[in-house]
Amino acid sequence: MGRALTPDEEELRERRRKALPSFLEERMLVLADFAERLELQTPAMITTEPERYLAAIDEFMRRQEIAEDDRIWILTRMGYYIGELLVQRLGGRWFLNEIPDSRYFLHYVVGKFSHAANPSAMVAPFEVAAHFVAQPPGRSLVSLVSEVESEVLAI
């Protein structure tokens, strides 16, 4: 079960529960806009077929110098994209982590993966994206996503 939530945690949990549908809808619009800005073909398909866009996004991101002013913009897009890619690859879904005292308590995560041995395995895509965006040019999205996928499957 877990510990009792504080009043602030209860309030935040309710806000994030209510915001989840908007968050999920926003991700589709944000990713389609991102794919369009990168001039990728059929940008609207990025949430249903994220694998198809991996090489192009990897190539684009590999050489980017990310200015502090652009960090949140790109981190948001990469977080949504990494989450969608893992959802598709591992048969998972987005949800709010409501496990008190867990590392990503009250964060939107992806998990409940049908292809993972551990049904409680989850990934915080925006944390993965923050790690990715913090790397210097030469970073590899393909390698990072493969590493995260391997870790989930090994759990």
Side-chain angles (χ1 to χ4, degrees):
M1 184 74 175
R3 68 170 173 80
L5 303 184
T6 67
D8 287 345
E9 289 171 334
E10 287 279 359
E11 189 262 328
L12 180 58
R13 181 180 67 177
E14 288 312 307
R15 263 198 342 247
R16 293 214 170 139
R17 278 181 176 172
K18 287 178 184 170
L20 183 60
S22 297
F23 170 87
L24 295 173
E25 186 175 323
E26 176 188 76
R27 88 189 188 291
M28 296 180 350
L29 301 172
V30 166
L31 285 174
D33 176 67
F34 184 50
E36 193 172 309
R37 288 174 187 251
L38 295 181
E39 299 179 359
L40 303 176
Q41 290 192 345
T42 55
M45 299 301 291
I46 194 167
T47 55
T48 55
E49 297 178 33
E51 194 75 45
R52 176 176 161 188
Y53 300 88
L54 180 58
I57 294 172
D58 179 75
E59 182 181 328
F60 172 78
M61 290 302 300
R62 187 175 298 268
R63 62 183 189 269
Q64 292 304 306
E65 286 282 349
I66 301 170
E68 195 57 37
D69 292 353
D70 298 328
R71 189 174 184 281
I72 296 298
W73 188 89
I74 197 69
L75 190 150
T76 301
R77 279 129 192 90
M78 296 310 302
Y80 278 135
Y81 180 75
I82 290 166
E84 285 306 303
L85 194 56
L86 292 170
V87 162
Q88 294 293 320
R89 282 188 177 184
L90 300 171
R93 65 183 178 92
W94 286 93
F95 62 97
L96 177 64
N97 175 353
E98 297 187 43
I99 303 168
D101 300 324
S102 67
R103 184 173 181 182
Y104 301 114
F105 177 52
L106 298 179
H107 288 231
Y108 295 128
V109 296
V110 294
K112 302 183 182 185
F113 301 117
S114 62
H115 305 316
N118 181 349
S120 63
M122 67 179 80
V123 174
F126 293 97
E127 294 294 322
V128 175
H131 171 75
F132 179 71
V133 168
Q135 295 176 9
R139 66 184 72 79
S140 171
L141 183 60
V142 169
S143 295
L144 180 63
V145 170
S146 290
E147 188 178 308
V148 171
E149 179 180 17
S150 294
E151 287 175 15
V152 168
L153 294 174
I155 296 174

